[in-house]
């Protein structure tokens, strides 16, 4: 995104892939202007993430006609975490697939609006990038940047590291699947970059990809099935507990 026209075109391409890829942009190093917030608050202020988890807990409870107390805090925290990492990974992967440099993914450089329901508004900085367009830079930008920081902030809610990194792997696969479904001509490059991300040391033992079918299965569970009454909700398609 080297000039206004090309950046606008790239933003349109991202939006065409779906809501989890849609982003806005802001000038690097600019202060967030309400209703935008710096995403660094998720790591720096425990109350921000706590409020997000509590709101998710109430949202999940309402969906199942239950009291918020019926939803375990760790379930709401895992669902919150999955939503956060998926929202960051999706546009980052898509930019790499489209051959664009990925802007800085440091939380202090990102802006968000903490609304619930689907993909929350996200803004990426216009200016600095994490380096070249190579997959290694993307992996470093994500897995040595915001992803472990958000994971560490979530750990006090009693969500295991195994589940947290499983959420990340699931988010990578989910983003790749969404890109391929929306733009089949990008399938080959998407699969290549997603495989490289999933081979990163942090994710290497979090999933299985079956050679015969290419099907992805994580080796953990995001726990969302436990948000349903009697903990009897449906399992995600990539869940370790799903035997189908």
């Amino acid at each position: 995104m080297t000039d206004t026209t090309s950046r606008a075109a790239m933003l349109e391409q991202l939006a065409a892939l779906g809501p989890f890829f849609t982003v806005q942009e802001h000038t690097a190093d600019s202060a967030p202007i309400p209703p935008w917030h710096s995403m660094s608050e998720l790591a720096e202020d425990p109350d921000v993430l706590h409020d997000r988890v509590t709101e998710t807990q109430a949202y999940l409870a309402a969906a199942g006609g239950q009291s918020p107390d019926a939803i375990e805090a760790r379930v709401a925290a895992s669902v919150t975490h999955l939503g956060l990492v998926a929202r960051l990974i999706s546009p980052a992967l898509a930019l790499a697939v489209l051959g664009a440099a990925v802007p800085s993914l440091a939380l202090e450089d990102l802006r968000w609006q903490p609304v619930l329901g689907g993909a929350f508004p996200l803004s990426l900085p216009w200016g600095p990038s994490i380096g070249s367009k190579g997959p290694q830079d993307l992996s470093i930008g994500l897995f040595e940047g915001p992803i472990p920081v958000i994971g560490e902030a979530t750990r006090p809610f009693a969500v295991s590291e195994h589940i947290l990194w499983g959420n990340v792997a699931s988010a990578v696969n989910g983003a790749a699947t969404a890109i391929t479904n929306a733009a089949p001509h990008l399938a080959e490059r998407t699969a290549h970059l997603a495989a490289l991300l999933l081979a990163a040391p942090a994710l290497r033992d979090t999933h299985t990809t079956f050679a015969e079918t290419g099907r992805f299965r994580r080796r953990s569970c995001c726990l969302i099935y436990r948000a349903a009454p009697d903990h009897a909700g449906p399992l995600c398609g990539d869940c370790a507990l799903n035997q189908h």
Side-chain angles (χ1 to χ4, degrees):
M1 291 187 269
T2 57
D3 55 56
T4 302
T5 301
S6 60
R7 292 199 317 275
M10 185 60 65
L11 293 177
E12 288 182 5
Q13 289 185 69
L14 290 175
L17 296 174
F20 268 82
F21 302 91
T22 301
V23 296
Q24 298 184 42
E25 62 175 8
H26 59 272
T27 304
D29 301 324
S30 63
I33 299 174
W36 294 99
H37 299 255
S38 170
M39 287 200 77
S40 62
E41 65 184 9
L42 287 163
E44 296 171 355
D45 185 349
D47 288 341
V48 173
L49 186 56
H50 182 274
D51 289 347
R52 183 77 177 177
V53 170
T54 300
E55 291 167 357
T56 300
Q57 191 174 25
Y59 184 88
L60 293 171
Q66 306 176 87
S67 162
D69 293 341
I71 309 297
E72 301 159 272
R74 72 186 185 110
V75 172
S78 177
V79 173
T80 298
H81 173 265
L82 180 53
L84 290 171
V85 298
R87 190 66 177 98
L88 298 185
I89 288 169
S90 296
L93 176 60
L95 282 169
V97 168
L98 292 169
V102 181
S104 171
L105 298 172
L107 290 179
E108 60 268 23
D109 292 330
L110 303 177
R111 305 283 181 264
W112 75 317
Q113 295 179 29
V115 298
L116 283 181
F120 55 81
L122 177 68
S123 181
L124 303 182
W126 165 37
S129 69
I130 61 175
S132 71
K133 304 172 186 177
Q136 184 62 29
D137 296 305
L138 177 61
S139 181
I140 291 171
L142 288 169
F143 304 144
E144 295 183 17
I147 301 304
V149 175
I150 293 174
E152 188 60 30
T154 308
R155 288 291 297 277
F157 293 92
V159 185
S160 73
E161 187 171 359
H162 183 55
I163 288 176
L164 293 174
W165 282 109
N167 285 348
V168 175
S170 183
V172 171
N173 180 69
T177 300
I179 294 171
T180 298
N181 288 341
H185 66 285
L186 297 175
E188 185 175 352
R189 179 162 172 79
T190 299
H192 174 67
L193 290 178
L196 290 174
L197 289 181
L198 290 170
L203 300 186
R204 200 169 290 155
D205 297 324
T206 62
H207 66 283
T208 299
T209 300
F210 297 97
E212 302 83 1
T213 62
R215 182 180 178 186
F216 171 93
R217 176 175 288 172
R218 59 184 288 175
R219 297 178 184 173
S220 60
C221 172
C222 72
L223 306 177
I224 194 171
Y225 79 94
R226 298 181 64 83
D230 299 321
H231 299 163
L235 299 174
C236 302
D238 66 355
C239 183
L241 302 179
N242 193 338
Q243 300 303 310
H244 299 290

